[in-house]
Amino acid sequence: MHIYLGMFKFGQHKLTKMHIISTKALGLSALRTLVFEGSKIELSDEVIQKIQECRDYLDQKIEATTDPIYGINTGFGSLYDVRIHSENLTKLQENLVRSHACGTGDHVPQPIIKLMLLLKIKSLSYGHSGIQLETVNRLVSFYNNDILPVIYTQGSLGASGDLAPLAHLALPLIGEGMVWYKGVQTPASEVLQAFDWTPITLQSKEGLALLNGTQFMTAYGIHSLLKSFKLSYLADLIGTLSLDAYDGRIEPFDPLVHLVRPHNGQIKTAERILSFLEKSELMQQPKKHVQDPYSFRCMPQVHGATKDTLAFVKNTFITEINAVTDNPNIFIREDKIISGGNFHGQPLAFGFDFLKIAMAELGNISERRTYQLVSGLRELPSFLVEKSGLNSGFMIPQYTAASIVSANKQLATPASVDSIVSSNGQEDHVSMGANAAIQAYQILENVERVLAIELLNASQAMFFRNQKTSPFLTAILSSFRSEIPKVTEDRVLHNDIDKAIKFIQTLELENDVLFD
C-alpha cells in the first residue's frame, strides 16, 4: 500500500521491467529508477556486436604476433616481463582470479554488490576489453537472478582497479567462491549446478578485464550519491521544521539575500525552505528576537555548499560509470592494444573525500540545531519536556548526535592524500579510493541518524507551540507522530530514535524532486 504525502511516498512497490544495456550513457536518475524498480537487464544488439568484434580481434592478434602484450601473454604487475606460453593462457587468467580473491573484513551490502555487477557489465559493453560474450552474458544472468557474489570491504587500494573485491565478483564465473542466493550464502558451484550452467572457461585477457576496473568504488559511489541527494533534501526539510519550532525568522531566506551571492546550491536551499514554510502561522507571527543562530540562519549557505559539492561529485561518478576502466585497452579501428592506467581511482578518491566532508557538515549543523532546541530558549522547556529535572527528556539524544558528529569528523579525514607502494614498486602510487568509499558509506549512515534525532526533537518542540506550522510540514508531522507520540515523561528514547530512522528510510522522493 502506498501513502502519498506531497512529494513523498511511503513504502515501496517494485515493478519488474527490462533495461537494455547500450552504449548510451547511464545517468543517476535512470540508475535510481533501474534499482528502485528492480529491472532486469539485457544487452543490446550493438553491444553484443562490439563485444564479439573485440574478442575476435584479440584472438587474431594473439595468433598473428609473437610480441609480448601485457596481461594477455605476460604476467601481471611487477611480473609484467614474464612471458606465458599460449597453452597456459586460460590457466593464467584463472590463477589471476584465484590469487587476487583475498578480500577480508565485513561483507559488502548486497544492493552494492548488485550495482557492482551492473557497472562491470556496463564497462565491458563498450567493446574495448576483449571479454567473451559468454562471460558478459553470465554476469547478466547473475544480475537478473539475484545471484550476488560474496565480497568483502577490505582489500582494494583503488589503483590497479579494485582487484580483491572484483576477484570475488569474478570467482563464481569459474564455479568458485560463495554467492548470496535467496538471502543465503551458498557455494557458487551449487548455484551453477541448480541453473544447469557450466563454469566459464576464461580466455586470454578475461581475468584482467574482470579484475581491473573501478566497480567497487563506483558502486559505493552511486549508492552514496543516491543517499546523499535524499539526505540533502531531508536536511532542508527537517532543518525547516526545526526553524519553525524554534520560532525562527524568515528574512534570511529572502531571494534578495541570495541573488547577490548566487551560488546555485544556496539559492536552491533558500527557495526550498520558503516553499516548505508557505502559509505557516507560526512563521508569520511577530518575533521577539532580531536574529537566529547560524545553524538556522545560514542553512542556505551551509546546505547549499553541500548541494554544489554533490553536483561536482555526481559529474565525476557518472563519467566513471560510463567509461572503460580495465587494462589494457583494445582499439580495433586503430589496430592498437594499449596498456595505460584507466583503472586508477584518483578522481573517485577525490570525489569520495569531497562527499564525505560535505555530508558530514549536514550532520554537524543538524546537531547544532538539536542543541538549540533542547537549550530552554524561545519559550521552549529545557530538554523539551514538562517537569524537567524529574524528567531528563531530550537531554541525551543530543549527546548521541554529538558523538556521531564527532565520529564523522574523524571519518571525513581525506583518504586520497595517502598512498603506499605495492607490487614490488610497480604500483608505486595508489588512490585509496576504496577506503574513502567505505568511509563515505559510514558517514551517510551516521548523517541519517543525526537527522532522525533532529526530526525527533523538532516534532517534540512543535508540541509546545500554539500556532500551526505550514500545511506541508503539518502533514509530515502528522505522519511522523503516528509512529512516535509526544514524550510526556521519560521513556527509552532508543526506540524512538530507531523509529525515526526507519521513518526517514521509508520516505521515497520522486526523481525530479531528488535531482532538481
Side-chain angles (χ1 to χ4, degrees), residues 243 246-252 287-294 296-298 372 378:
L243 172 73
Y246 193 68
D247 195 23
R249 301 188 67 97
I250 201 168
E251 293 86 351
K287 307 296 178 182
K288 297 178 182 179
H289 48 277
V290 177
Q291 276 190 343
D292 294 325
Y294 286 2
F296 296 100
R297 185 170 17 134
C298 297
Q372 295 288 353
R378 304 278 176 92

Side-chain angles (χ1 to χ4, degrees), residues 361-382:
E361 278 304 292
L362 287 187
N364 200 351
I365 195 171
S366 169
E367 183 276 331
R368 291 292 82 197
R369 292 190 295 264
T370 294
Y371 177 86
Q372 295 288 353
L373 288 171
V374 301
S375 296
L377 304 172
R378 304 278 176 92
E379 300 178 353
L380 292 172
S382 293

Side-chain angles (χ1 to χ4, degrees), residues 435-506:
N435 287 353
I438 300 301
Q439 292 165 346
Y441 183 90
Q442 293 172 318
I443 284 174
L444 292 174
E445 295 287 296
N446 286 343
V447 171
E448 185 175 67
R449 294 168 186 145
V450 172
L451 288 172
I453 291 171
E454 182 187 356
L455 177 57
L456 188 63
N457 279 265
S459 171
Q460 178 75 2
M462 201 63 80
F463 280 115
F464 298 99
R465 296 301 182 191
N466 293 323
Q467 309 299 89
K468 292 182 178 180
T469 187
S470 70
F472 179 72
L473 293 178
T474 297
I476 298 290
L477 272 176
S478 177
S479 181
F480 182 73
R481 287 171 174 172
S482 69
E483 301 290 331
I484 305 173
K486 181 181 178 180
V487 175
T488 55
E489 60 181 23
D490 282 346
R491 64 189 189 222
V492 178
L493 291 179
H494 160 80
N495 300 328
D496 293 50
I497 293 171
D498 195 46
K499 288 177 183 177
I501 293 168
K502 287 182 171 62
F503 179 85
I504 283 178
Q505 291 172 341
T506 58

Side-chain angles (χ1 to χ4, degrees), residues 134-164:
E134 179 187 9
T135 305
V136 182
N137 280 335
R138 182 62 55 82
L139 292 173
V140 170
S141 295
F142 283 176
Y143 182 93
N144 287 340
N145 290 283
D146 285 319
I147 300 168
L148 307 176
V150 174
I151 303 173
Y152 303 90
T153 55
Q154 294 177 317
S156 173
L157 295 172
S160 294
D162 292 310
L163 292 174

Side-chain angles (χ1 to χ4, degrees), residues 91-377:
K91 185 69 172 177
L92 173 69
Q93 301 303 317
E94 291 179 348
N95 282 349
L96 177 69
V97 174
R98 293 187 183 104
S99 65
H100 285 52
C102 51
T104 188
D106 296 332
H107 289 127
V108 174
Q110 293 177 53
I112 292 178
I113 299 172
K114 192 160 186 178
L115 268 172
M116 287 178 69
L117 281 170
L118 175 66
L119 299 179
K120 173 54 77 174
I121 291 163
K122 179 63 177 172
S123 183
L124 296 173
S125 72
Y126 290 100
H128 293 290
S129 303
I131 199 86
Q132 289 184 98
L133 179 59
E134 179 187 9
T135 305
V136 182
N137 280 335
R138 182 62 55 82
L139 292 173
V140 170
S141 295
F142 283 176
Y143 182 93
N144 287 340
N145 290 283
D146 285 319
I147 300 168
L148 307 176
V150 174
I151 303 173
Y152 303 90
T153 55
Q154 294 177 317
S156 173
L157 295 172
S160 294
D162 292 310
L163 292 174
L166 289 175
H168 286 281
L169 188 81
L171 268 178
L173 292 169
I174 60 174
E176 299 182 18
M178 302 291 288
V179 297
W180 296 103
Y181 183 58
K182 296 183 178 180
V184 177
Q185 279 197 47
T186 308
S189 57
E190 293 182 12
V191 175
L192 263 59
Q193 188 175 15
F195 279 84
D196 199 24
W197 294 337
T198 58
I200 299 292
T201 301
L202 296 180
Q203 301 300 310
S204 56
K205 171 68 167 67
E206 286 203 279
L208 203 55
L210 292 164
L211 270 57
N212 272 175
T214 58
Q215 286 74 41
F216 177 82
M217 289 180 283
T218 51
Y220 268 95
I222 294 303
H223 173 89
S224 296
L225 273 172
L226 291 174
K227 188 156 191 169
S228 293
F229 275 101
K230 178 180 177 180
L231 292 177
S232 174
Y233 184 97
L234 292 177
D236 292 347
L237 173 68
I238 296 168
T240 305
L241 188 61
S242 294
L243 172 73
D244 222 11
Y246 193 68
D247 195 23
R249 301 188 67 97
I250 201 168
E251 293 86 351
F253 309 100
D254 190 306
L256 292 174
V257 174
H258 307 288
L259 289 174
V260 296
R261 195 196 191 199
H263 292 291
N264 288 336
Q266 179 175 330
I267 291 171
K268 183 184 295 183
T269 303
E271 289 175 347
R272 195 176 272 174
I273 289 171
L274 286 176
S275 72
F276 291 155
L277 288 170
E278 190 174 348
K279 298 181 180 179
S280 168
E281 296 174 10
L282 184 53
M283 184 55 64
Q284 292 166 7
Q285 73 176 4
K287 307 296 178 182
K288 297 178 182 179
H289 48 277
V290 177
Q291 276 190 343
D292 294 325
Y294 286 2
S295 57
F296 296 100
R297 185 170 17 134
C298 297
M299 281 192 286
Q301 291 79 10
V302 178
H303 291 200
T306 292
K307 288 180 179 63
D308 290 337
T309 302
L310 286 180
F312 169 80
V313 176
K314 174 185 173 183
N315 181 67
T316 298
F317 277 93
I318 292 303
T319 298
E320 186 77 3
I321 67 169
N322 292 292
V324 178
T325 58
D326 66 295
N327 182 65
N329 302 134
I330 299 169
F331 302 93
I332 300 173
R333 184 179 303 174
E334 295 80 6
D335 192 23
K336 289 184 177 181
I337 301 176
I338 304 173
S339 181
N342 279 353
F343 45 63
H344 202 292
Q346 198 69 36
L348 307 180
F350 285 163
F352 276 120
D353 282 343
F354 296 160
L355 181 70
K356 285 159 48 183
I357 293 167
M359 294 307 294
E361 278 304 292
L362 287 187
N364 200 351
I365 195 171
S366 169
E367 183 276 331
R368 291 292 82 197
R369 292 190 295 264
T370 294
Y371 177 86
Q372 295 288 353
L373 288 171
V374 301
S375 296
L377 304 172

